[in-house]
Amino acid sequence: MLRELQPDVVIHAQALSDVDRCEQEPALANAMNAETVANLAQALDATQSTLIHLSTDYVFDGTKGSPYDELDRPNPISVYGRSKLEGERMALSYAASVVIRPSTLFGPGRMNFCDHVVSCVKAGQAVEAFIDQVTSPTYTEDLAEGISELLGVIDRASITTFPSRILHLANDGSCSRLEFAQRIVALLGAPRAQIRAIRMAEQGRPAPRPPCSALTTQYVPRLIGRRLRPWDEALQAYLASTDRLRGPAITGAGSGRTGH
Ligand SMILES: NC(=O)c1ccc[n+]([C@@H]2O[C@H](COP(=O)([O-])OP(=O)(O)OC[C@H]3O[C@@H](n4cnc5c(N)ncnc54)[C@H](OP(=O)(O)O)[C@@H]3O)[C@@H](O)[C@H]2O)c1
């Protein structure tokens, strides 16, 4: 298909992003997060396309104590993180590729932690939120816009002059899951008591998560002249855009055990 279409750009966002499932099915994780990328890189050799490959903050162990930039050394602590790091290696084996690492995603489409909190709040149910996991929540619309702006400065020739082919693209700042949930509750005007602060270990999930995988960037402002806006502004924009501040409970909240 790639040979036939000869696309200018391929944005590769496919993955098995259910971190716990990856831990339980490492062969599947490797197939879906690394082998797929190896196959893609090979297929791209018959094209002149640029590859944008999506990776993750979970390639880091989360022990640095401050946000990770592109120069920090990955050290994944889960099957998911290791398979994604291998996927990065495969993507970078294709010369005209850029790896983009966002952090905890929220936005329209697939159920995410933000939607889960909104849904519980509207249904009057309690929500558990981790006090000991810090990330840089990233609005998918902002991520898409950032990628689109990057594509304005990326082409096959310019990639070779890039200071780094790995870029961190996340909304600015960081917070714990607890702070994130509390902010959603505040924006919805619901009682703070609905949020129950817990530690990651209390849920006994199969996969370990990095305690602090907040991201920052050395390179994105040099390329597109800006950082993505602060996560709080992005969260307000998302909640306003989807009418979650007013509408009825959204469906499909499940257990709240969203992939990341
Ligand atoms: N979620 C996060 O918080 C987060 C944080 C940082 C980075 N990331 C990265 O961001 C990217 C997107 O993650 P996401 O959470 O948005 O994942 P997602 O909701 O699970 O989306 C993954 C997409 O890949 C497709 N897919 C999976 N396996 C496929 C296969 N074998 N063939 C074709 N399509 C397949 C899925 O299709 P279906 O819809 O048909 O299932 C889905 O559209 C991934 O690279 C992930 O590692 C995610």
Side-chain angles (χ1 to χ4, degrees):
M1 197 165 82
L2 286 171
R3 255 197 302 271
E4 231 170 75
L5 290 175
Q6 292 291 329
D8 294 329
V9 180
V10 172
I11 301 175
H12 183 241
Q14 169 275 332
L16 180 61
S17 63
D18 181 332
V19 181
D20 292 324
R21 184 150 178 226
C22 285
E23 203 69 18
Q24 289 163 326
E25 298 184 63
L28 183 68
N30 206 51
M32 285 189 47
N33 293 338
E35 286 171 35
T36 48
V37 192
N39 292 341
L40 178 62
Q42 203 184 347
L44 283 166
D45 276 337
T47 72
Q48 294 293 308
S49 309
T50 300
L51 170 65
I52 302 285
H53 173 71
L54 269 297
S55 187
T56 173
D57 53 331
Y58 279 25
V59 296
F60 296 111
D61 60 24
T63 59
K64 184 184 173 191
S66 60
Y68 288 93
D69 68 29
E70 294 90 346
L71 296 171
D72 285 310
R73 214 168 140 262
N75 182 32
I77 57 171
S78 64
V79 170
Y80 170 72
R82 284 190 289 276
S83 66
K84 290 293 293 182
L85 185 60
E86 182 61 9
E88 286 188 0
R89 208 170 64 80
M90 295 297 135
L92 292 170
S93 72
Y94 178 65
S97 63
V98 172
V99 167
I100 292 193
R101 295 183 185 138
S103 185
T104 310
L105 298 175
F106 65 94
R110 192 77 58 97
M111 174 56 57
N112 54 68
F113 181 68
C114 175
D115 291 343
H116 169 65
V117 174
V118 172
S119 179
C120 288
V121 164
K122 291 195 169 183
Q125 292 164 1
V127 189
E128 291 185 340
F130 297 142
I131 197 164
D132 54 352
Q133 187 188 17
V134 172
T135 62
S136 298
T138 303
Y139 184 21
T140 50
E141 300 276 338
D142 287 0
L143 174 62
E145 224 174 87
I147 291 174
S148 168
E149 282 173 44
L150 279 167
L151 285 171
V153 296
I154 293 173
D155 58 37
R156 285 182 70 84
S158 67
I159 280 178
T160 53
T161 67
F162 262 40
S164 167
R165 281 167 62 209
I166 296 177
L167 300 173
H168 289 182
L169 196 58
N171 279 116
D172 211 31
S174 62
C175 61
S176 68
R177 288 269 175 159
L178 178 66
E179 290 162 331
F180 191 57
Q182 284 172 338
R183 187 66 184 128
I184 296 166
V185 164
L187 288 167
L188 292 170
R192 221 178 149 95
Q194 269 187 265
I195 307 291
R196 196 168 85 81
I198 61 163
R199 299 199 162 272
M200 286 193 275
E202 286 178 56
Q203 276 195 351
R205 292 189 182 190
R209 270 85 170 155
C212 177
S213 56
L215 297 178
T216 186
T217 177
Q218 295 263 350
Y219 303 116
V220 170
R222 289 194 220 169
L223 291 166
I224 62 171
R226 69 178 185 104
R227 293 170 178 277
L228 297 191
R229 62 184 155 175
W231 65 263
D232 190 272
E233 271 177 41
L235 176 64
Q236 291 182 50
Y238 175 52
L239 292 177
S241 76
T242 55
D243 226 19
R244 278 161 165 75
L245 293 175
R246 285 188 297 279
I250 53 173
T251 53
S255 63
R257 297 192 169 211
T258 50
H260 273 241

